[in-house]
Every structure is written in structure tokens, then in C-alpha cells.
Amino acid sequence: MTGGRWRQGWRELRRYPSALLGLAIIAALVALALATPIAIPYGEALAKWRGSEAWQRNPVNAAPLWLDRLTGGDAPHTLVVESASAPVEEHAFAGGRRLRIPLAFDYEAGGFPSELNLFLHAPGHAQPPFARLTWRTPDGRELGLGGYRIGARERIALSQDRALERRLDGLVPHIGLLAEPGSAAAPGAEPRVLPGRYTLRLDVLVFDEAAACDAELVLYGRVHGIAGTDHQRRDLALALMWGTPVALAFGLLAAVGTTVTTLVIAAVGVWYRGWVDATIQRLTEVNMILPILPILVMVGTLYSTSIWLMLGVVVVLGIFSAGIKMYRAMLLPIREAPYIEAARAYGASNARIVLRYLIPRILPVLIPTFVTLIPTFVFLEASLAVLGLGDPLLPTWGKVLNDAQSQSALYNGYYYWVISPAVLLMLTGLGFAMLGFALDRVFNPRLRSL
Amino acid sequence: MTSSPAHGADDQAPLIAARDLHTWFELRQWGFLRVGAVRAVDGVEFALAPGEAVAFVGESGCGKSTLARTLLGLHRPTRGEVRFAGRSLGELQGRALKAYRAEVGYVQQDPYGALPPFLDVRRILAEPLIVHGVRDRAERERRIRAALEEVRLSPAEAFLNQFPHMLSGGQQQRVVIARALILAPRLLIADEPVSMLDASVRVEILELLRHIQRERGLTLAFITHDLSTVRHYAERIFVMYAGRVVESAPVDDLLDHPQHPYTQALLAAIADPDAANATRLREVPAGEPPSLLHPPAACRFHPRCPHFMAGLCDVEDPPDFSPRRDHRSACWLHR
Ligand SMILES: Nc1ncnc2c1ncn2[C@@H]1O[C@H](COP(=O)(O)OP(=O)(O)OP(=O)(O)O)[C@@H](O)[C@H]1O
Ligand code: SF4
Ligand SMILES: [Mg+2]
């Protein structure tokens, strides 16, 4: 219908580098938003984010890889040593077997791991197996780590072994076990890594013919993935990725919902005048002094923090927003345009005049406003989440910030935890703002020439 | 010397007639206090025969456009009625009112605002057809092309996809005329169709209107404040003053033998060679244009009239007299 005009608008828009940059940012966000649900389906994302086994082999509060790269460090990555690839020795005896599982690995990283866990998996035993652990360092020392009775699934948190810590001169096991002997003896000296080949030997007694025992030694790194992890070992990449479609959908739906309803109501008021217009005006004035954030906080606290409920409240409160005054001012002169009178003369209905002749006339002016409106709703959603009123299920940028805040991320030096969602939020704002401002320059002078 | 109920052709059934027509605009303070009324149309009577072309002439603000809008049913008359083909407009509802809208075409004063700027010519012309239930796309396209050809926007293809701002003023006004004709009306109301156009295209547009009116046998009511061109484009003239028709007659008779002092003043101003721009009525005749909020009592023209008769003209409304055959004038001079 108005293809020519849009094409002309696009041609003009291309002349603004800021518009192209904004478009590129938006395109990247949209691509991410579209790819995310394909890569990690909704149900899976929700289940994972709720917390699950899947994160067990992730370090706690690990920094993203890129941060390590930037600081030039060679922070340790997570190292997993599995019994499946170890040369297991077996000796049968009356009523059972003795297994010797050497979990050997080369440790060359510049720093110590953040944690040390041993996972043992011994299903199908009538009588629980028994394992004795021995730690062997590159310089040939051997250290007994004690004996354990193993259930079907066992996690041996070596890092939390207080007795072991005392035996290691007060160094936590994940440091003490890998430190150069005596490197921390002098007061104020930092322990140094003793590089080389380490072995954790498991001597397991199983009392069942059929059964086996798998072991997995995890030396948790200090960096993880592109986004790092949080206090629950969850990969922040999941939340940051899923936060994109959620944020864009929320922003877009809220912007469309409020703009369309506001516009239609403003046009109806302008067209019918009289008490219709007066009622709309009074409702708008009342609504303008209603504070939106406290109302949302109230709904969230008393009722539910579902993001869709919040969206509904935002749209409902947005219907009679201050935008009505602006649209009304723009529509009033158009109401008197001769072409509207001509339409009445050929019998166009009121609905047709409002929807087809009044509203389209101001659409070009609204596009920039609309585009800049989207990120404000994204920020609103994030603010709610930071206030602890984020959606209970969905991982979102705001909820990442909320977690970071409740774990005192900045105080603890986990800057990445705050920076990544903040950067995504700012990129969203920036992308839409740059496009919006350019659109404003493209569309609004055009309006004067109409 | 006899008074007649209406300025009109009595010989055949009129297509459209106004009876005692008043359109007043209430002025309110604070939205409810009634502080007076603008009497834009204040007692107009006439009847137009089918196929007749007439002109309404009068200075700016005398109520011409308001009369046009009242005839179109865009303003509800304060008093009196408009009858179209024997039915009163006030009684038309819903479907019948919509049918009436198809019977009457409207060409506005200002072509630049008369076309929606965001629609192309095809869509602009399709709108009335869509509104009146022409569902068939091919049928619409056929009628749109025919209408463009009729207003000499030819070949039609060259204009179908144009937006109003790509067209010249004259071309825009042709599109407006095409839109007014596309529903095949019986009456066309043209409100100063050329006043906003360049002088160079005025005659073309007026000729086009006259041509279409003759071809289609349309009734044409055309409003102007330019007396100099009226002779060629109308058969009858109605002279309006302060919301009333003060004189009406066949065009030659009126221009050659004006009866009402107001008409005489108008024509004298045109004839005056010193008044270079006097073909426009805005500047003539001398004196204040009447206030429609507080119009002069009785004869509206009496404060400016050279023949003013105190005690008569400002006390009693002059009725319509018929000083010549087919010629009506509302002035006590003819008593
Ligand atoms: N909708 C309205 N509400 C109030 N007053 C109106 C309205 N429409 C017209 N008027 C007033 O009615 C009077 C007649 O206006 P109208 O437009 O009919 O005059 P006109 O003869 O067409 O003048 P012009 O030659 O300038 O077009 C004017 O005083 C005008 O201000
Ligand atoms: S009625 Fe009287 S005032 Fe009016 S035009 Fe005639 S002479 Fe003049
Ligand atoms: Mg007018």
C-alpha cells in the first residue's frame, strides 16, 4: 500500500552509520534470540536452570574464558580424569575382587584448581564396596587420603576434608595436594604449583561378582565457558542466552501492546470527542500519577512474578499512559483534514476513519518512538528481576544480576557476573536507541512535507 | 411583485431541495454554557432540477461551505430540512443514509488536503468502492481506470501508483473529482474547486467539471466567490449573504440585470477597471462583513446598503420578490 514510502525511508536510513550499527546490534540480538531456543529447548533450559546434576562438573563462580585471556593469565581449566581410560588392575579373591584404579594426570597450569571432587559410581551392589585413596605427587611422595564406603553414587569432597587440610600444613586440599612442598612455609609466602604427573590411586574392594566401580576425579578450574558460572555451578551462558529472547519478546510485546492500545484509544477519543474524549482524558490523568513500578512490585509480591502477568500489567497500565496526550495532540489537526471529511462524505464508517485514516497518518512519527520504547520495557523487566521479582522459572538477564547482587558479586570480585548481563542490557538499549534516533530524523521531516 | 416560497425551478420534481434550512453552530463556554450561535446558514430555500448546473456565490464566510456540508449530511440542520429525490435527509438512517452518500459527490476546496497523503491513487479511488461493498477486485480496477480516464488522467497506469505529493495541484484536484464520481452520483457538490489552484489550470478544471456534468446529466452545485467566470459554468446563480440566499436567477439575467443592492455592488466592483484584483469578492463591497454571531436585524445587508430605508429594512425581513421572470430577490426595493 505504501511500499514506495517505506523503500524511500530505508534508502535514507542507510545514510546514517549509527542506524546501521544499531540495526547490526539488533540483528545480532535477534539472531541470538532465535538460535537460543533451537540450541537449548525451553523445557531443558528451565529444568537445567532450576539446578540439576548437569552442573556437577562445573566450578563454582568461575570466570569466563575471555576474562582470563584478557588478563593474560593461564588460570586452570577444569580437568576431569576418568577411570574408563585408566589401566585398571583386577585381582579376584574369595567372595570378591580387588580393583586398583590409577587416576593419573599431568598438572601444568599456573594456578591451583578451585576445588577437588571425586565422583564414585558403583551401581548394583548388595554390599557397598570399600575404597582406599592414595595421592601420589610428581616428586614421589605418597599421601593416604583415607578410606570410604561407597554407595551407588558417591561424591567425595576432598576440598572439604578438614583432617586432610591439617595434614597439609593448613593448606586447603585442592592447594596443598598440588603445592611444592615447603613453598608456603615462610610467613607470607604464596604456595607454588608443583608441576608434573600426579596419580590418585583407588584400591577398591568389591564384594559382588557382577558389579563394577567407576571413578571420576574432577579438578575444578577457575575459568569456565564464555560466561563463567554462578554460585550454584550453573553456566551463566544459559541465562544470558535465554535472557535474550525473553528480553526482546517482553520489550516488543509490551511496546506493541501499549502503543497499539494507546493509539487506538487516543484516536477514538479524538474522533468521537465529547464525553468519550473527556473520559479518556481523565483516566489518562489519573493513570499518569499512578506509579508503575510500585504497582508492579505490589502485584509481584502479592500475587505472582510470572513474566506474562507482569507483561499484562505493564500493558494495562500503559493503555492510558501519557502517550495518549501526545497522540491526541497529533491527531486533533488530522481530524479536521479535508480527506477525513471526504471519507465521511462517501460513507466511510467511524471504525474505518479511526483505523484507516487517522492512525496511519501518525504511524511514521510513532515508529521512532516505538523503537526507543522497546528497551525501556527490557530495562523494566530487568529492574523487576533485580528487585527479586523476576519470573520464577525463566532465566533472564535481570535474574542473573539479582543472583550476583545477593551473592555480593562485586565485593567478592566476580565482576564478570555483573558485567555480562549489564553489557547485554546496554547493547539492547544502545541498538534500539541508535536506530530510533536515526528513524526519527528520517521519518519526521518527511511528515512535514506530507 | 409576488413572493414565492422558494428560489427554484417549479416546472419539474427537484432532485434536491432545501426548505427553511438553518445550520447554526452553538458556541459554548466551559463546554456547557451556551453563549450564542454562529448562524452560518440562516434560512435558505432552493430546489435544483435534475441535470441542472448552479453556482452559489458569496463573500468569504457567508456560509457557502456550511451549506454544502449540510446538503451532504455532514452537518445536521438546526432547523428545516434537505430533501433529496423526495425524501427528507433527516429521516435517512443506516443503509439509506449510506446509499445517499453514494448519490452525492463532493469536491473540496483544498485538493492538497483532500487526499490522504499515505495512500496511492489506486487505493484512494478504491476506498469509496470498498466502503460501498464492491468486493470484486477486477471490477474495482475497471471502475478506477474509467474514472481516471474520465478526468483526463490518462493513461491511467501512469497515475495509479502515484502518491498525492507526486502530483501537481491540478492533477490532485482531478483525482478528487474522480473520487467524487466513482460511485456514479446524481448530484455533485463542488466547493470552490479551483480557488486554491494556479490560475493556469483553473479554466481546465472548470471545463472538465462542466463537461462531465453535461455528459452524465449530473446536477452540479458549485460554490465560488468568483463572479467573473460563473457565466460559463452554471445555468443559475444563487447569491448568498450572511447565511441567506438574497438573489437567484438564470446566469445571464442575473449578471446583466442584478436586482439586489448587494449583487449590484459586487458586479460594480468587477466592472471597475481600477480595482485590478476586484474579481475576488473578499475586498468588496465596502463596509464590514456581517457578524454571523450577532447578525444585523431584518435585512442582513442594511448596514452596508446604499438604499437602506430606516424603519423598514432594519425591522422587517424582506421576503423574496420576483421583480423579473424567473428572478428572485429579497429586498424591500421591489415591493
Ligand atoms: N464547525 C464549525 N463550528 C463553528 N463555526 C463554524 C464551523 N464551520 C464554519 N463555521 C463558521 O461559520 C461561518 C461560515 O463558514 P463557511 O466555511 O461556511 O463560509 P464560506 O462561505 O465557505 O467561506 P469561505 O469562502 O472562506 O470558504 C464562519 O464564520 C465560520 O467560522
Ligand atoms: S432590504 Fe433594504 S437594506 Fe436590505 S438590501 Fe434591500 S434596500 Fe438594502
Ligand atoms: Mg468555504
Side-chain angles (χ1 to χ4, degrees):
Chain A
M1 179 160 90
T2 56
R5 214 153 120 256
W6 296 116
R7 227 172 296 134
Q8 201 181 335
W10 165 239
R11 229 175 293 130
E12 228 171 287
L13 191 65
R14 278 191 312 199
R15 295 210 314 261
Y16 294 95
S18 65
L20 296 183
L21 185 57
L23 266 178
I25 293 174
I26 295 170
L29 288 170
V30 167
L32 182 58
L34 293 179
T36 300
I38 298 169
I40 316 167
Y42 179 76
E44 189 188 323
L46 254 55
K48 274 185 158 182
W49 193 248
R50 214 176 289 133
S52 73
E53 292 269 300
W55 308 122
Q56 272 201 17
R57 280 142 192 80
N58 282 0
V60 172
N61 288 331
L65 283 176
W66 55 263
L67 197 63
D68 185 40
R69 291 276 153 73
L70 278 182
T71 51
D74 49 352
H77 292 206
T78 299
L79 196 62
V80 178
V81 191
E82 291 177 339
S83 63
S85 51
V88 179
E89 291 170 38
E90 278 197 41
H91 301 282
F93 62 87
R97 281 174 298 149
R98 207 176 74 232
L99 308 177
R100 168 163 288 200
I101 310 172
L103 297 172
F105 61 95
D106 292 313
Y107 197 82
E108 308 289 349
F112 292 97
S114 60
E115 198 182 351
L116 209 56
N117 273 345
L118 178 65
F119 294 93
L120 292 171
H121 186 52
H125 290 269
Q127 201 187 345
F130 184 80
R132 176 165 298 285
L133 317 181
T134 313
W135 183 262
R136 191 187 158 80
T137 56
D139 54 1
R141 287 173 292 132
E142 289 211 351
L143 205 62
L145 301 186
Y148 294 88
R149 207 164 267 290
I150 316 170
R153 272 175 185 285
E154 198 74 51
R155 191 186 79 157
I156 298 173
L158 294 172
S159 294
Q160 267 127 57
D161 191 334
R162 296 283 155 209
L164 181 58
E165 189 175 329
R166 278 193 298 278
R167 282 163 61 207
L168 292 168
D169 304 326
L171 292 175
V172 282
H174 55 266
I175 293 177
L177 285 174
L178 294 150
E180 200 176 297
S183 64
E190 287 289 315
R192 273 194 309 279
V193 174
L194 175 68
R197 192 168 186 79
Y198 289 83
T199 310
L200 175 66
R201 199 174 67 230
L202 282 78
D203 291 299
V204 186
L205 295 172
V206 292
F207 309 102
D208 243 312
E209 271 310 311
C213 176
D214 300 320
E216 221 177 324
L217 175 66
V218 182
L219 292 93
Y220 295 92
R222 290 185 182 272
V223 290
H224 182 91
I226 52 164
T229 59
D230 67 4
H231 60 303
Q232 297 181 36
R233 304 179 188 278
R234 297 182 296 195
D235 191 340
L236 288 178
L238 174 75
L240 297 180
M241 281 169 74
W242 257 97
T244 318
V246 173
L248 291 189
F250 187 89
L252 193 69
L253 289 177
V256 168
T258 52
T259 309
V260 168
T261 49
T262 309
L263 193 53
V264 169
I265 286 179
V268 165
V270 164
W271 182 243
Y272 287 97
R273 301 206 274 211
W275 65 267
V276 179
D277 194 27
T279 311
I280 291 171
Q281 294 296 304
R282 296 302 87 76
L283 279 174
T284 307
E285 280 145 22
V286 170
N287 194 67
M288 270 159 72
I289 55 164
L290 287 184
I292 186 160
L293 199 59
I295 291 179
L296 286 172
V297 171
M298 223 166 67
V299 171
T301 332
L302 299 179
Y303 193 60
S304 149
T305 55
S306 156
I307 196 167
W308 306 120
L309 177 72
M310 291 298 170
L311 181 66
V313 176
V314 165
V315 171
V316 168
L317 289 179
I319 290 178
F320 289 101
S321 68
I324 285 199
K325 296 269 179 199
M326 185 180 81
Y327 301 157
R328 188 170 178 277
M330 293 196 292
L331 287 166
L332 271 176
I334 299 169
R335 182 191 200 284
E336 307 302 330
Y339 78 84
I340 301 276
E341 185 177 64
R344 284 221 291 148
Y346 61 66
S349 64
N350 288 324
R352 193 175 192 86
I353 290 175
V354 168
L355 297 175
R356 296 293 197 116
Y357 301 144
L358 277 180
I359 291 177
R361 184 64 193 277
I362 62 168
L363 274 186
V365 203
L366 294 195
I367 287 167
T369 325
F370 173 78
V371 168
T372 36
L373 198 60
I374 294 175
T376 65
F377 288 115
V378 174
F379 295 158
L380 181 65
E381 189 271 328
S383 316
L384 285 173
V386 170
L387 291 175
L389 297 167
D391 187 88
L393 300 174
L394 279 170
T396 65
W397 297 339
K399 277 175 72 181
V400 172
L401 284 171
N402 179 239
D403 286 342
Q405 185 205 18
S406 65
Q407 298 296 315
S408 314
L410 292 178
Y411 176 72
N412 287 319
Y414 307 139
Y415 298 109
Y416 67 91
W417 203 351
V418 177
I419 288 171
S420 325
V423 162
L424 282 170
L425 280 168
M426 282 188 304
L427 272 182
T428 309
L430 198 67
F432 283 100
M434 286 199 291
L435 180 64
F437 294 153
L439 282 171
D440 209 15
R441 269 169 283 169
V442 170
F443 275 107
N444 286 350
R446 167 79 72 268
L447 194 83
R448 263 172 260 135
S449 75
L450 287 181
Chain B
M1 295 288 251
T2 53
S3 89
S4 141
H7 294 259
D10 309 295
D11 42 332
Q12 54 178 310
L15 179 68
I16 188 163
R19 303 253 176 266
D20 188 31
L21 197 62
H22 293 70
T23 305
W24 293 1
F25 299 108
E26 299 267 331
L27 288 186
R28 285 169 197 278
Q29 213 165 6
W30 303 318
F32 57 90
L33 261 187
R34 202 176 157 276
V35 293
V38 176
R39 303 176 180 196
V41 175
D42 196 24
V44 168
E45 300 238 359
F46 64 82
L48 306 188
E52 196 182 9
V54 302
F56 288 86
V57 185
E59 65 192 335
S60 186
C62 71
K64 305 182 298 294
S65 296
T66 307
L67 175 64
R69 290 195 196 104
T70 310
L71 296 181
L72 284 156
L74 300 178
H75 290 317
R76 186 167 282 279
T78 316
R79 204 163 86 212
E81 63 168 2
V82 176
R83 295 187 77 83
F84 184 85
R87 290 190 67 184
S88 169
L89 202 53
E91 292 159 9
L92 299 182
Q93 296 277 335
R95 203 180 282 263
L97 183 62
K98 200 163 163 182
Y100 173 72
R101 304 233 181 263
E103 299 262 36
V104 187
Y106 182 29
V107 176
Q108 283 149 304
Q109 197 161 352
D110 173 13
Y112 302 98
L115 299 172
F118 49 88
L119 298 183
D120 64 10
V121 168
R122 175 186 277 117
R123 184 71 196 196
I124 287 169
L125 295 181
E127 281 292 318
L129 296 172
I130 294 169
V131 165
H132 285 271
V134 181
R135 294 253 152 67
D136 181 12
R137 220 167 231 285
E139 157 87 358
R140 284 207 303 255
E141 185 73 12
R142 193 186 58 68
R143 287 174 70 171
I144 291 168
R145 281 166 190 266
L148 284 176
E149 298 289 347
E150 190 174 3
V151 297
R152 315 264 163 75
L153 288 176
S154 162
E157 285 86 67
F159 296 95
L160 283 172
N161 296 319
Q162 304 274 48
F163 285 87
H165 69 268
M166 303 170 176
L167 303 175
S168 71
Q171 288 170 331
Q172 289 186 31
Q173 193 63 305
R174 285 168 197 265
V175 175
V176 171
I177 294 170
R179 179 175 64 187
L181 293 173
I182 202 156
L183 295 169
R186 284 196 274 170
L187 169 67
L188 192 64
I189 297 177
D191 185 357
E192 307 200 42
V194 295
S195 68
M196 307 281 272
L197 298 177
D198 282 351
S200 56
V201 296
R202 283 187 186 166
V203 173
E204 283 172 37
I205 297 284
L206 288 172
E207 275 190 338
L208 176 72
L209 276 174
R210 182 68 163 153
H211 175 78
I212 291 169
Q213 183 256 331
R214 287 216 174 97
E215 288 277 292
R216 291 196 175 210
L218 281 177
T219 306
L220 174 65
F222 119 76
I223 291 167
T224 179
H225 52 223
D226 182 1
L227 259 181
S228 62
T229 53
V230 143
R231 198 189 289 264
H232 312 290
Y233 308 109
E235 289 140 24
R236 238 171 359 129
I237 296 183
F238 295 86
V239 179
M240 287 187 69
Y241 187 80
R244 292 181 171 178
V245 172
V246 293
E247 181 167 8
S248 76
V251 65
D252 294 326
D253 198 37
L254 187 130
L255 294 176
D256 299 339
H257 308 285
Q259 299 295 311
H260 195 279
Y262 174 60
T263 317
Q264 288 166 354
L266 285 182
L267 289 169
I270 299 172
D272 185 353
D274 293 336
N277 292 324
T279 48
R280 305 205 122 210
L281 294 189
R282 293 183 194 279
E283 301 84 17
V284 291
E288 287 286 303
S291 154
L292 297 181
L293 192 54
H294 305 288
C299 176
R300 302 284 191 250
F301 189 55
H302 80 250
R304 295 162 86 182
C305 181
H307 310 286
F308 170 57
M309 293 166 276
L312 176 60
C313 301
D314 55 350
V315 175
E316 259 328 301
D317 265 337
D320 277 343
F321 292 98
S322 192
R324 297 167 61 83
R325 210 177 146 265
D326 276 346
H327 199 133
R328 287 170 223 285
S329 172
C331 172
W332 285 121
L333 287 178
H334 315 302
R335 71 185 182 276

